[in-house]
Amino acid sequence: MFSIIIVANGSSNRFGKNNKLLSRIDGEYLINITIDRFLENKLIEEIILVSNNQVFDKVKNKNVVKTFGGETRASSVYNGLKLVTKKYVLVHDGARPFVNKSFIKMLLEEIKNYDVVVPYLKVTSCLKQVFEDNTIKTVNRNEFIQTQTPQVFLSSVIKKAYEKFDANWMDDLQAVENNKSLKIKLIEGDSKNIKITYASDLNL
């Protein structure tokens, strides 16, 4: 019933010299920890990894479907969507290895009543907007959220949106967020579901 696209083709520029997906946590490659989070859910019948040969060579599960990424995150997701065969699809960042298994289960239940389900976090710090002339404006943080992955979609909905994808899309919700005909559910996410960005993040 469910496919998942794991996007793992980033440049890791902010992480340092090494590919963060091939960092080890308790002796295991980060990318395998991320994959394992979804392998344990029997409703997820298809795992599609979008990456490169360097990462593919370290993947231990032989049932993972592999396809190469594009120049941007959006183009990588598009490559993965071409292989999706199930009714629903999750899209997840390969660099988020700490997603909670019970949270995944909850997302799979929620999507049955919606077209799109996306987890988010509230903004808790003071939020300011900086303009090109270096002027600063404090904005109402209650009007903003931070989205997380996995984001879950009816496959037909996200595939249709990606027929004319924009390479600059920052996440997959952006592909459908202006479609007023869709039932979109925002659900509070998990603060522990961080995206590994810097080498220091591994200390968590």
Side-chain angles (χ1 to χ4, degrees):
M1 183 179 292
F2 289 89
S3 299
I4 180 168
I5 297 170
I6 297 178
V7 188
N9 196 50
S11 60
S12 297
N13 287 335
R14 291 172 291 181
F15 186 80
K17 295 181 180 180
N18 301 319
N19 188 330
K20 61 187 175 183
L21 296 165
L22 300 182
S23 300
R24 290 182 183 266
I25 300 176
D26 291 337
E28 183 57 89
Y29 290 112
L30 188 154
I31 187 60
N32 283 325
I33 296 173
T34 301
I35 291 171
D36 285 348
R37 294 285 175 166
F38 298 93
L39 278 172
E40 295 183 9
N41 192 301
K42 301 305 180 184
L43 293 177
I44 299 175
E45 301 171 321
E46 184 174 67
I47 296 181
I48 300 167
L49 177 64
V50 186
S51 192
N52 53 65
N53 282 326
Q54 184 186 26
V55 174
F56 293 156
D57 289 343
K58 303 302 183 184
V59 174
K60 62 184 182 181
N61 189 284
K62 304 304 180 184
N63 294 321
V64 172
V65 178
K66 306 178 182 71
T67 190
F68 290 103
E71 294 183 0
T72 65
R73 185 187 185 281
S75 58
S76 293
V77 172
Y78 183 53
N79 289 348
L81 284 171
K82 295 174 184 177
L83 302 179
V84 168
T85 65
K86 305 304 178 183
K87 182 177 180 179
Y88 301 102
V89 59
L90 300 85
V91 184
H92 187 61
D93 299 320
R96 290 186 189 267
F98 306 128
V99 59
N100 187 284
K101 297 169 190 175
S102 61
F103 188 72
I104 296 170
K105 183 179 178 180
M106 180 176 63
L107 290 173
L108 301 190
E109 285 296 321
E110 288 286 345
I111 192 61
K112 295 176 182 178
N113 298 312
Y114 297 92
D115 301 307
V116 181
V117 175
V118 172
Y120 74 94
L121 293 178
K122 296 178 181 178
V123 178
T124 57
S125 299
C126 181
L127 192 62
K128 297 183 184 290
Q129 184 176 8
V130 181
F131 299 91
E132 290 184 0
D133 62 358
N134 211 35
T135 57
I136 302 170
K137 176 184 178 182
T138 302
V139 297
N140 183 357
R141 69 185 182 192
N142 294 324
E143 295 178 352
F144 297 87
I145 60 172
Q146 302 175 74
T147 56
Q148 294 184 309
T149 68
Q151 299 181 2
V152 195
F153 302 85
L154 192 63
S155 295
S156 58
V157 165
I158 193 65
K159 284 183 175 183
K160 184 176 181 180
Y162 262 89
E163 287 175 358
K164 297 181 180 180
F165 80 90
D166 186 331
N168 296 315
W169 282 339
M170 302 299 291
D171 73 351
D172 304 291
L173 176 59
Q174 190 173 356
V176 300
E177 62 190 12
N178 293 322
N179 188 338
K180 304 302 181 184
S181 67
L182 297 178
K183 294 173 63 179
I184 298 176
K185 171 74 170 182
L186 294 176
I187 188 167
E188 191 162 356
D190 181 0
S191 61
K192 295 180 181 179
N193 180 22
I194 67 166
K195 185 177 181 181
I196 300 296
T197 304
Y198 303 101
S200 59
D201 292 337
L202 293 176
N203 295 329
L204 295 173

